[in-house]
Amino acid sequence: MAKFSFADADADEDPPPAAAGSDKRKRDGGDGNAMGISMRIDPDLLDCSICFEPLCPPLYQCQNGHVACLSCWSMLSNKCHVCSHDAIFARNIALEKIVESIKSSCAYAKWGCCELVSYTQRNTHEESCFFAPLMCPIPGCGYRGFTGRWSGHFLVDHHSADFLHFVYGQSFEVNLEASLPFLVLLGEDDHLFLLLNKNMTPFGHAFSVVCLRTGDLNWKFSYEIEAASTRNPENCMQLKASVTNAKEWEGLHPTESFLLVPYDFCSSTNITLSVSVGRSASV
Ligand SMILES: [Zn+2]
Ligand SMILES: [Zn+2]
Ligand SMILES: [Zn+2]
Ligand SMILES: [Zn+2]
């Protein structure tokens, strides 16, 4: 059973005597508005004891009070995971109300997120939290940056030769060493993109663009890549695609869209591409 302990400054003081006839069921600030209080609780108590995910209504308990979340309960076949015998499950409405009412700080509070999020929505929020740190993609760097805040790191630190700055909607030429797995592209608004390069032996090089970011921001990005043959410039190829978003690039290349440029289009050491990245408001 969950145990609560008060964590606010008044926790050790005796509660004030209740006025005669007052409603003890709700605490209010004197103006009739419900008032939250700070509490401490062992977060493990708020996770399902079977799948360890945050408890999220509907919640079910056996006749002995052992709780399971909906997806776990649906797999129990009326056998309690603790009692190990036939059980009669029922909804635990009181616990559902408690977990629905609990607000917790975001895991990225120390990076600046001030949001108090519903415990049941915590994972969803943190998946897209704007303050979730992102690893700098330059090998060996180890710096943690944030969505849309990269130019300081790339300009001030040691990467000034390792990226291209670009303006959305304007094409720019990239001369890429064929052996490099990616080139960092920095948008005018400090969003960080990677032009990925994968050697697809025996065909050629596959190029695509990903954006390292978190958060459901107001922008969606697209890109175009053009390549022309070094032997016969009339032979050219082009890709228009939407940019894939990622928290970090772990060496996996997008499979939905990429431009496969034959070796004939490249010199032995370098590849020249025309690239543009577009930005539009997401709906
Ligand atoms: Zn579960
Ligand atoms: Zn049980
Ligand atoms: Zn957050
Ligand atoms: Zn770095």
Side-chain angles (χ1 to χ4, degrees):
M1 184 178 291
K3 291 182 181 172
F4 298 90
S5 65
F6 291 99
D8 55 335
D10 299 330
D12 297 325
E13 294 179 7
D14 291 329
S22 69
D23 184 352
K24 290 184 184 176
R25 289 174 300 173
K26 285 188 180 176
R27 295 168 188 240
D28 65 51
D31 56 1
N33 292 324
M35 190 173 69
I37 53 175
S38 299
M39 306 181 87
R40 284 194 187 135
I41 187 169
D42 179 352
D44 288 348
L45 295 172
L46 300 175
D47 293 340
C48 173
S49 60
I50 304 173
C51 65
F52 305 112
E53 291 295 319
L55 287 171
C56 189
L59 300 172
Y60 294 87
Q61 67 171 18
C62 77
Q63 61 268 46
N64 293 319
H66 302 125
V67 175
C69 74
L70 173 62
S71 62
C72 292
W73 168 75
S74 62
M75 291 187 283
L76 287 175
S77 303
N78 287 332
K79 285 225 186 297
C80 174
H81 57 294
V82 180
C83 306
S84 299
H85 55 63
D86 288 346
I88 302 168
F89 282 94
R91 290 272 295 274
N92 187 330
I93 303 293
L95 185 56
E96 289 179 11
K97 286 184 176 170
I98 289 171
V99 295
E100 276 177 334
S101 70
I102 288 178
K103 302 238 187 262
S104 67
S105 55
C106 169
Y108 305 119
K110 63 181 174 185
W111 303 107
C113 182
C114 300
E115 281 207 44
L116 280 178
V117 287
S118 162
Y119 190 77
T120 56
Q121 296 297 315
R122 198 169 187 237
N123 286 356
T124 308
H125 167 81
E126 290 169 2
E127 275 291 305
S128 60
C129 179
F130 186 78
F131 292 91
L134 304 160
M135 291 296 289
C136 174
I138 303 294
C141 173
Y143 174 83
R144 288 180 167 205
F146 298 93
T147 297
R149 295 188 218 167
W150 284 98
S151 65
H153 175 62
F154 274 80
L155 289 168
V156 175
D157 295 344
H158 309 292
H159 305 324
S160 56
D162 297 334
F163 74 100
L164 272 181
H165 218 175
F166 69 90
V167 175
Y168 291 111
Q170 295 185 11
S171 62
F172 51 93
E173 191 169 279
V174 172
N175 190 265
L176 190 70
E177 271 183 48
S179 59
L180 285 180
F182 63 81
L183 177 70
V184 173
L185 309 174
L186 211 54
E188 61 191 284
D189 59 357
D190 267 4
H191 274 85
L192 191 149
F193 299 82
L194 300 179
L195 172 63
L196 301 178
N197 167 26
K198 184 173 189 185
N199 192 344
M200 305 280 281
T201 310
F203 304 109
H205 289 263
F207 295 98
S208 55
V209 173
V210 298
C211 179
L212 298 191
R213 69 168 181 167
T214 57
D216 186 16
L217 303 174
N218 297 326
W219 303 114
K220 62 178 180 181
F221 301 105
S222 58
Y223 68 99
E224 293 184 31
I225 302 176
E226 277 183 37
S229 167
T230 49
R231 293 184 191 171
N232 184 357
E234 288 184 357
N235 291 344
C236 62
M237 52 205 314
Q238 183 188 50
L239 170 72
K240 292 183 182 182
S242 54
V243 171
T244 302
N245 297 314
K247 280 187 179 174
E248 60 185 306
W249 184 61
E250 297 173 315
L252 298 174
H253 291 256
T255 52
E256 270 187 16
S257 56
F258 53 84
L259 184 67
L260 182 57
V261 179
Y263 290 125
D264 272 1
F265 279 49
C266 322
S267 75
S268 57
T269 56
N270 282 62
I271 304 159
T272 301
L273 302 168
S274 174
V275 179
S276 72
V277 179
R279 182 182 65 174
S280 59
S282 59
V283 273

